[in-house]
Amino acid sequence: MDRFSSTTLLPDDLTVQLTIIWEQIKAPLIVPLLRIAVFLCLLMSIMLFIERVYMGIVIILVKFFGKKPEKRYKWESLKDDVELGNSSYPMVLVQIPMYNEKEVYQLSIGAACGLSWPSDRIIVQVLDDSTDPIIRNLVSMECQRWASKGINIKYEIRDNRNGYKAGALKEGLKHQYVKQCDYVAIFDADFQPEPDFLWRTIPFLVHNPELGLVQARWKYVNADECLMTRMQEMSLDYHFTVEQEVGSSTYAFFGFNGTAGVWRIAAIDEAGGWKDRTTVEDMDLAVRASLKGWKFLYLSSLKVKNELPSTFKAYRYQQHRWSCGPANLFRKMFTEIIRNRKVSLWKKIHVIYSFFFVRKVVAHIVTFVFYCIVLPATVLVPEVEVPKWGAVYIPSIITLLNAVGTPRSFHLIIFWILFENVMSLHRTKATFIGLLEAGRVNEWIVTEKLGDAFKIKSAIKAFKKPRFRFGDRLHLLELATGAYLFFCGCYDIAFGKNHYFLYLFIQAFAFFIIGFGHVGTFVPNS
C-alpha cells in the first residue's frame, strides 16, 4: 500500500514548520506527559479489571451456593388476624412523583391503584409538579376517577419545583395522613408494578427490623424498540444482575435506584430525609441510611416494568444526571463516610473505593480517556508504547464480564462497545462537572417518556420523514472526537507501527454517526 504524503494535505512550507515545531516539543514535553497518561490509564484499567473480576467471582458463588433472600432474612406471608382485622397489616404509602407526564400518568396511577393490599391500609399519593395546566387537570381527573372507585388516593401539588423530585418526595411525607404509615413504596411515572408487589416486599420489612429498604429489579417494556434501547438494556442489566446482587448478597452496600423500592419511613427519617443537594437524591438517601446502620435487600426475582429513553437527546440528559450526580455526591460525602463510626471499616472501603471511586469515577474516565484519547495518541508518538495486556487483554475481559448480564444481546457486543465508548465522552464530562461542582452540576431535566405512544410514534416515523434541524442534530463534541480518531487512523496507516487503524476508523465512524444525529435511524429490532 502506498503511503500517504503529508504534502498532499498541507503546503510544503507549512508542513515543514509544523514538523519542526512538533519535533521540538515532542521529546521534552509530549512523550513524558503521554507516558504518565498511559501509566495512569493502565492503573485505572487494572482497578476496574479487579473490581469486575471480584464481582464476577462473587456472583458465580451467589448463583451456585448463595442463599435466597427468604433464607438470608426472615420471611413469612402476612395473614389475617381475627381479632385485629385489617389493622394487623402495616399502613403503606405509595408515592408517584411526576412532572408533565402526559403519556404515562394513566399507566402509573392505574398500576399503583391496582396493587393488592387491604384497601383501608394503603394510601396512593400522586405528587404532581406539572407546570402544564392541561396535564395537571388530566392527572387530577384521573385521581378523582380512582377515588370514585373507593381507592384512597391523594392528589398533591406544589406552587414551586424546589428540589425537583427530592423536594416533591420530602413534601409528600409532611402531610398529616402520612404519619400513620410505616412504609413507603416509590414508583416513577413510567413504572408499572405487578399487583403482588407489596405482598412480596413488605413481609421482609415487617419481620426484619434492621432492613431499611427493599429494592426490586427493572424490566423494560421497550427494550426491542431499536438498537439504542438494546444497548441501554445491556448496560442496565449488568447493573441489576451483578452490581446490585453483589452489594446485597455480601451485606456491603448498593444504591437505591430511585424507584421500584419500598422504604421503612423510620429509616428515611433517621437518615435525615430527602435532600436535593445533588441530582441523585436516591443514592444520597441510601448512603446516609447505610451510614446509620440500616441494611438493604435486593430482590432480583421481583421485576417492575418501565420504559427506556427512546431518543438520544433524552438518553444524553439521563446519563449526564446519572454520571454527574454520583461524582458530586462522592465529593460531598467523602469526609462524612470517613468519620462515620456506626459502620465497619470494610463497608467504608467498599462505599468509597468500590461503589464511588471505581464504578462512578474511574469506569467513566478510563473508558473515554484511555480508549478514545490516549491510545490513539500513541499512534502519533511511537516512542510511547502500550503493553498488549493493557490495550487488548484487560479491555476484552472487562467487556465480556460486562456483557454477561444480557445473554440474548451478546451478538451485539461490538455495537455495544462502540456505543458505550461514545457515551463515555458525556459521562466523563459529567463526572468532572460533578467532581468540580461546575456548570451544569445541578441540572435536572426529566427524562422524556412515551408510554404506549411509542408504538404509534414509531409507525408515524416510518411514513413521515423527520425534519433536519442543523443545530438540534449536530453534536460537535462527538464530531471533534471522531475527527481526531480518524486522523490518528490515517496517520497509523501512513507512518505508524501500532496497527490500531481498524479500531480507530470503526470508532471514528461511531462518533460520526452520533455526531451527525443519526443514532435514531437504526432499524428497530424485530
Side-chain angles (χ1 to χ4, degrees), residues 327-343:
N328 190 232
L329 182 63
F330 181 42
R331 170 190 172 121
K332 285 179 164 64
M333 294 207 67
F334 180 81
T335 303
E336 184 178 343
I337 296 171
I338 291 292
R339 293 177 178 176
N340 184 275
R341 296 182 179 181
K342 282 193 173 184
V343 299

Side-chain angles (χ1 to χ4, degrees), residues 382-400:
E383 293 88 347
V384 180
E385 294 185 359
V386 178
K388 185 173 290 187
W389 60 263
V392 179
Y393 300 143
I394 283 183
S396 299
I397 295 174
I398 291 175
T399 300
L400 292 174

Side-chain angles (χ1 to χ4, degrees), residues 331-389:
R331 170 190 172 121
K332 285 179 164 64
M333 294 207 67
F334 180 81
T335 303
E336 184 178 343
I337 296 171
I338 291 292
R339 293 177 178 176
N340 184 275
R341 296 182 179 181
K342 282 193 173 184
V343 299
S344 64
L345 178 62
W346 158 247
K347 178 167 282 192
K348 290 182 183 180
I349 294 174
H350 176 80
V351 173
I352 292 176
Y353 174 78
S354 180
F355 181 79
F356 274 118
F357 187 62
V358 177
R359 299 185 205 170
K360 310 301 181 185
V361 177
V362 167
H364 301 325
I365 293 176
V366 73
T367 302
F368 176 68
V369 174
F370 189 30
Y371 304 120
C372 300
I373 300 296
V374 173
L375 194 62
T378 60
V379 171
L380 308 177
V381 186
E383 293 88 347
V384 180
E385 294 185 359
V386 178
K388 185 173 290 187
W389 60 263

Side-chain angles (χ1 to χ4, degrees), residues 57-229:
I57 293 173
V58 171
I59 204 64
I60 290 174
L61 294 176
V62 168
K63 293 297 181 183
F64 286 98
F65 306 106
K67 296 180 179 180
K68 293 184 177 180
E70 293 81 3
K71 300 294 183 181
R72 290 189 288 122
Y73 291 95
K74 183 180 179 182
W75 192 94
E76 293 179 4
S77 60
L78 302 180
K79 300 178 180 179
D80 294 335
D81 189 298
V82 178
E83 295 182 359
L84 298 177
N86 285 347
S87 61
S88 63
Y89 293 94
M91 197 76 181
V92 179
L93 175 71
V94 179
Q95 288 186 318
I96 312 173
M98 58 176 60
Y99 172 74
N100 293 338
E101 308 285 2
K102 182 179 179 180
E103 306 291 353
V104 295
Y105 75 93
Q106 287 181 309
L107 294 175
S108 59
I109 294 176
C113 292
L115 288 171
S116 175
W117 199 253
S119 58
D120 59 338
R121 307 301 291 171
I122 184 173
I123 302 174
V124 177
Q125 186 185 64
V126 178
L127 304 170
D128 189 13
D129 275 358
S130 299
T131 53
D132 187 325
I134 296 177
I135 297 177
R136 180 175 286 192
N137 185 53
L138 289 172
V139 176
S140 176
M141 290 175 61
E142 182 69 10
C143 292
Q144 292 175 18
R145 188 173 73 86
W146 282 103
S148 66
K149 295 181 179 182
I151 301 298
N152 188 1
I153 185 169
K154 307 291 184 181
Y155 178 65
E156 306 292 353
I157 60 175
R158 300 189 295 165
D159 57 3
N160 60 74
R161 288 195 68 213
N162 293 342
Y164 302 107
K165 179 181 174 180
L169 294 171
K170 184 177 182 179
E171 287 297 318
L173 292 177
K174 291 181 178 179
H175 294 280
Q176 189 63 34
Y177 58 81
V178 175
K179 299 190 182 301
Q180 59 184 313
C181 298
D182 304 294
Y183 311 107
V184 54
I186 302 172
F187 301 101
D188 282 350
D190 59 315
F191 279 71
Q192 305 164 52
E194 295 296 329
D196 65 345
F197 180 88
L198 296 179
W199 292 111
R200 297 177 63 181
T201 54
I202 296 297
F204 282 108
L205 295 166
V206 170
H207 298 304
N208 302 276
E210 73 276 17
L211 279 179
L213 164 69
V214 177
Q215 172 72 58
R217 181 173 175 169
W218 297 2
K219 179 182 179 181
Y220 322 106
V221 297
N222 64 331
D224 292 327
E225 181 183 352
C226 64
L227 188 57
M228 189 183 74
T229 53

Side-chain angles (χ1 to χ4, degrees), residues 393-444:
Y393 300 143
I394 283 183
S396 299
I397 295 174
I398 291 175
T399 300
L400 292 174
L401 291 174
N402 284 345
V404 298
T406 316
R408 79 183 188 98
S409 298
F410 194 78
H411 63 289
L412 300 173
I413 193 168
I414 299 299
F415 296 101
W416 180 69
I417 293 171
L418 298 174
F419 183 70
E420 284 294 292
N421 283 353
V422 175
M423 290 309 304
S424 69
L425 164 63
H426 297 286
R427 294 178 184 136
T428 300
K429 177 185 173 184
T431 298
F432 280 114
I433 289 175
L435 290 173
L436 302 175
E437 281 199 317
R440 298 162 54 196
V441 65
N442 289 318
E443 180 183 61
W444 181 282

Side-chain angles (χ1 to χ4, degrees), residues 444-510:
W444 181 282
I445 297 178
V446 176
T447 305
E448 179 187 12
K449 307 172 188 73
L450 300 179
D452 291 334
F454 81 84
K455 299 177 184 177
I456 301 173
K457 291 190 177 184
S458 296
I460 293 175
K461 286 180 181 179
F463 296 97
K464 183 178 179 181
K465 185 177 180 180
R467 293 177 59 187
F468 179 80
R469 294 184 179 180
F470 190 81
D472 291 342
R473 297 188 61 180
L474 206 63
H475 307 299
L476 298 181
L477 285 176
E478 285 91 341
L479 292 176
T481 305
Y484 166 72
L485 291 167
F486 184 78
F487 172 76
C488 291
C490 292
Y491 191 92
D492 194 21
I493 291 179
F495 310 107
K497 61 179 182 178
N498 292 329
H499 306 300
Y500 295 147
F501 59 87
L502 184 60
Y503 159 74
L504 295 172
F505 284 146
I506 294 175
Q507 188 63 69
F509 182 65

